[in-house]
Amino acid sequence: MNTNENSSEEKKVSLNFLEQIIENDIKENKSGGKVHTRFPPEPNGYLHIGHAKSICLNFGLANKYNGLCNLRFDDTNPTTESVEYVNSIRDDVHWLGFDWEEREYYASDYFEKLYEYAIFLIKKGKAYVCEMTAEEISANRGTPQIPGKESPWRNRSVSDNLSIFERMRNGDFPDGTRVLRAKIDMASPNMHMRDPVMYRIMHAHHHRTGDDWCIYPMYDWAHGQSDYMEGITHSICTLEFEVHRPLYDWFLDELEIKDNRPRQIEFARLNLTYTVMSKRKLLELVGGAYVHGWDDPRMPTISGLRRRGYTPASLRNFAERVGIAKRENFIEVELLEHCIREDLNKNSPRTMAVMNPLKLIITNYAEGETEILHGTLNPEDPESSTRPIPFSREIFIEKDDFMENPPNKFFRLSPGSEVRLKYAYIIRCDSFKKDANGEISEIYCTYFPETKSGMNSLKKVKGTLHWVNAADCIKAEVRLYDRLFVNEYPDETEEGKDFKHNLNPDSLVVTTAYIEPHARSYKAGDKCQFERTGYFCVDPDTTESLMVFNRTVSLKDSWKK
Ligand code: ATP
Ligand code: MG
């Protein structure tokens, strides 16, 4: 069998359903064969890994089909939105590796046009000003089985509607006293079609339009028209918007827009185990100081993952592997962790760091002498250079790597046993000392000069330990991050409790580590592998006098049952 043919065959079969739809639309020359997507965040919080999925999808499809992807802020609710969020979103999309060029748009760019569209609907008798309160409107909506009640204001004259709507815009009425509603069908089985609100009065300052407006369009009224105005061909959104689609179509129909209508396609949102994903909940964690801000390395935000040590490539790769589903599902967080391990294994320099130091003295090594050994920076990279590693009479090893009374198959250090010190020599443990509390405080060893790393010695040992030179190692702060929630599905709780009850009390442990001096050259954001321990990165909190490292992920999955 010709394997090449086979793989191109497989490729065809493995188009996801969005690609199938798009390829079909191109074939049928819909929208002139063009593909134009958009990523439409509301700037009311920081982006999370679910948004990263949507970004990769929208920009990815545009790239794949030689199309364009816009960044559009759906900024229709000034009370929850801010410039801080806008800026963080711009930074995050760029950091992920995507560029919207000059196509940065805002729903607020279209407020005037949307207002004109609303006037058009009022003139057609398809929209009316309703004076019921929000509570009354909701009480009269009915249920999916029971039709709603029509508003007493539903049959106002067109001229009354026009003049009152204009007065709403002019600021003649207080918040909450009037809304503009679409006149559709109070008995529709689709609740979204029961005369939905199009505009509400909000005397609120908007981060872009200032005090120009005191009526603001609802998301459902703004979204479809914004897509249309931008010439979006494929409006990709998450499943919960499937039931809104008839409303979006109704608006375009009644606006008599026939050509170049965006095609809405829904896919299942990304859900991750051990993670909450809604902005509202993330805001609650930040506001309630359960974490140290939106970019806390335990947060599933893009900025949190960045600070944690995730790379753009690892997130793009994750988004690709997750694929596109039509049904709600959960992705295991282990897949995300796998993607970053894979990337850092290939690309991060090796470094030795000791977390729980135990002093080890090499009694036959000359006092006051230091030699420089060499360690490969990256064994995965054949071109890798080496780093200088000082070695002398006194070093630190991990407490765990020594046992006074070891069980069978303990290949690390114990009285009389021999191990290799990575990049250095084989040593033998001769004796040890305990402190007043009975804790082991120092161990004494003999080294074998002929076993120097790289030399051909006949001596063989089963264990290799990492270590650092006592005299010149860096004493750094290390933040050991773990999963933020103990529960696989943090949103599932007992009656009367919320997701915060599932927070992991040990999600952050701050400790000190002793690190080989080469790490002094690492800058904020740099990543490395602490050998035998895990992947770490330098936190922006790092200073001249105190380096701070974050644990991105342990070397192996420690949660596996
Ligand atoms: P959340 O529900 O988390 O509060 P949101 O949907 O309100 O987020 P938006 O700013 O409206 O946030 O989302 C921008 C885009 O990102 C939308 O197109 C939305 O469908 C998409 N998106 C949001 N969450 C996810 C997710 N978990 N998986 C995939 N796409 C998502
Ligand atoms: Mg939304």
Side-chain angles (χ1 to χ4, degrees):
M1 197 197 307
N2 182 326
T3 45
N4 263 346
E5 242 174 57
N6 191 36
S7 69
S8 76
E9 212 23 54
E10 259 169 36
K11 226 178 184 170
K12 249 185 250 158
V13 176
S14 68
L15 284 183
N16 66 50
F17 78 94
L18 284 167
E19 293 167 334
Q20 286 170 14
I21 291 173
I22 290 176
E23 294 204 358
N24 230 20
D25 287 349
I26 293 174
K27 220 185 285 158
E28 291 175 8
N29 204 33
K30 283 195 189 145
S31 324
K34 283 206 286 282
V35 174
H36 201 149
T37 57
R38 82 286 176 265
F39 172 63
E42 184 181 353
N44 60 353
Y46 281 60
L47 298 181
H48 53 59
I49 176 95
H51 295 114
K53 167 77 215 171
S54 175
I55 293 165
C56 292
L57 181 61
N58 279 294
F59 281 92
L61 286 170
N63 286 344
K64 179 163 180 178
Y65 296 106
N66 285 319
L68 298 170
C69 181
N70 297 353
L71 175 61
R72 184 178 66 245
F73 292 96
D74 266 322
D75 54 349
T76 52
N77 185 359
T79 58
T80 56
E81 297 160 4
S82 76
V83 175
E84 178 197 347
Y85 295 140
V86 169
N87 289 338
S88 74
I89 290 169
R90 299 171 85 247
D91 288 349
D92 287 349
V93 178
H94 272 150
W95 178 79
L96 270 177
F98 298 104
D99 188 9
W100 56 94
E101 296 168 314
E102 74 296 342
R103 295 178 311 283
E104 177 171 315
Y105 301 119
Y106 294 79
S108 56
D109 296 339
Y110 313 131
F111 282 175
E112 193 63 51
K113 187 71 198 172
L114 288 166
Y115 182 79
E116 282 170 29
Y117 279 154
I119 302 276
F120 184 85
L121 292 190
I122 293 174
K123 285 185 177 162
K124 276 182 85 175
K126 296 292 179 181
Y128 62 98
V129 174
C130 177
E131 298 187 21
M132 294 200 290
T133 61
E135 293 74 33
E136 287 167 335
I137 290 178
S138 142
N140 283 291
R141 271 179 92 215
T143 68
Q145 288 75 34
I146 304 167
K149 280 203 207 84
E150 292 190 352
S151 160
W153 313 96
R154 201 171 195 260
N155 296 313
R156 267 200 224 271
S157 70
V158 167
S159 63
D160 279 0
N161 277 317
L162 283 175
S163 71
I164 303 171
F165 188 50
E166 190 178 346
R167 291 183 60 202
M168 281 169 64
R169 176 185 183 162
N170 291 342
D172 287 357
F173 308 115
D175 287 5
T177 55
R178 281 161 186 80
V179 290
L180 185 75
R181 295 176 73 177
K183 192 168 172 180
I184 310 180
D185 179 5
M186 287 306 289
S188 170
N190 182 338
M191 300 292 285
H192 297 285
M193 301 297 272
R194 293 189 184 174
D195 291 11
V197 173
M198 296 166 61
Y199 276 93
R200 66 259 205 240
I201 303 174
M202 274 170 116
H203 291 267
H205 187 83
H206 187 283
H207 60 102
R208 296 192 85 240
T209 58
D211 297 314
D212 290 353
W213 293 87
C214 60
I215 55 171
Y216 287 95
M218 299 300 289
Y219 177 87
D220 274 349
W221 168 238
H223 190 74
Q225 276 60 257
S226 302
D227 277 349
Y228 167 70
M229 284 184 254
E230 287 177 20
I232 300 305
T233 57
H234 297 87
S235 300
I236 296 162
C237 59
T238 41
L239 282 179
E240 68 272 23
F241 289 101
E242 194 170 356
V243 283
H244 298 236
R245 181 146 38 100
L247 174 60
Y248 298 164
D249 285 337
W250 186 90
F251 283 139
L252 291 170
D253 287 346
E254 294 302 336
L255 291 171
E256 296 166 24
I257 291 168
K258 293 194 182 61
D259 298 325
N260 301 321
R261 288 167 58 140
R263 173 171 188 175
Q264 176 169 309
I265 319 169
E266 301 87 12
F267 74 103
R269 59 174 45 233
L270 170 72
N271 298 305
L272 264 187
T273 56
Y274 296 99
T275 309
V276 297
M277 201 78 97
S278 106
K279 271 191 259 183
R280 185 181 60 73
K281 288 179 184 160
L282 298 178
L283 187 63
E284 211 179 317
L285 291 175
V286 174
Y290 295 94
V291 294
H292 305 138
W294 285 100
D295 70 343
D296 186 299
R298 291 165 292 183
M299 291 282 274
T301 50
I302 297 179
S303 50
L305 290 163
R306 171 163 68 231
R307 189 162 180 179
R308 177 81 171 249
Y310 276 77
T311 59
S314 68
L315 296 185
R316 289 195 303 263
N317 188 245
F318 172 72
E320 181 73 33
R321 288 200 197 182
V322 161
I324 315 288
K326 285 192 202 179
R327 297 272 158 270
E328 284 290 337
N329 63 81
F330 269 82
I331 300 293
E332 296 192 339
V333 73
E334 286 86 348
L335 180 63
L336 180 63
E337 294 167 349
H338 171 78
C339 289
I340 188 60
R341 278 196 195 99
E342 192 178 57
D343 183 349
L344 295 179
N345 178 43
K346 276 199 209 104
N347 300 310
S348 64
R350 282 19 181 197
T351 308
M352 291 198 287
V354 170
M355 303 282 166
N356 294 301
L358 174 59
K359 172 135 334 148
L360 186 152
I361 297 162
I362 299 162
T363 50
N364 62 334
Y365 200 90
E367 243 168 286
E369 206 150 286
T370 301
E371 67 181 299
I372 302 296
L373 304 170
H374 297 279
T376 318
L377 271 174
N378 185 352
E380 297 291 313
D381 173 7
E383 314 268 278
S384 171
S385 55
T386 61
R387 62 202 205 251
I389 307 175
F391 180 79
S392 65
R393 186 180 159 89
E394 296 195 1
I395 63 170
F396 292 122
I397 63 164
E398 296 284 355
K399 266 200 182 106
D400 288 1
D401 281 338
F402 177 81
M403 280 184 95
E404 185 182 354
N405 300 301
N408 275 345
K409 304 218 166 153
F410 182 79
F411 298 124
R412 292 172 276 164
L413 210 55
S414 56
S417 84
E418 294 180 353
V419 296
R420 172 170 287 285
L421 294 172
K422 187 106 197 240
Y423 310 117
Y425 301 94
I426 291 178
I427 56 170
R428 183 187 64 224
C429 173
D430 302 318
S431 60
F432 58 87
K433 191 166 100 183
K434 285 187 177 174
D435 64 15
N437 300 322
E439 296 259 356
I440 293 172
S441 57
E442 275 179 4
I443 43 187
Y444 305 98
C445 296
T446 301
Y447 89 113
F448 304 97
E450 73 281 6
T451 63
K452 186 169 176 172
S453 185
M455 302 214 311
N456 255 338
S457 122
L458 293 177
K459 222 180 202 345
K460 292 278 177 279
V461 288
K462 286 217 168 106
T464 301
L465 306 187
H466 63 278
W467 55 276
V468 293
N469 194 35
D472 49 19
C473 61
I474 307 164
K475 203 171 158 189
E477 176 175 319
V478 168
R479 300 175 181 169
L480 301 174
Y481 290 107
D482 205 337
R483 292 177 189 163
L484 187 52
F485 293 96
V486 286
N487 192 317
E488 212 173 340
Y489 307 105
D491 291 316
E492 284 178 9
T493 48
E494 292 166 35
E495 279 262 336
K497 294 186 171 172
D498 77 357
F499 72 100
K500 298 194 293 303
H501 283 89
N502 288 324
L503 280 164
N504 176 4
D506 302 318
S507 60
L508 170 58
V509 174
V510 180
T511 166
T512 303
Y514 298 77
I515 308 173
E516 62 168 275
H518 176 72
R520 226 176 270 288
S521 63
Y522 301 167
K523 303 274 174 296
D526 284 355
K527 290 139 185 83
C528 60
Q529 184 200 87
F530 286 169
E531 301 196 44
R532 296 176 66 219
T533 310
Y535 295 101
F536 287 73
C537 69
V538 181
D539 190 83
D541 282 349
T542 227
T543 62
E544 281 287 312
S545 54
L546 181 67
M547 290 194 84
V548 180
F549 286 82
N550 296 328
R551 179 168 69 197
T552 307
V553 68
S554 55
L555 272 194
K556 289 203 189 77
D557 182 3
S558 55
W559 285 56
K560 270 243 155 68
K561 302 125 208 155

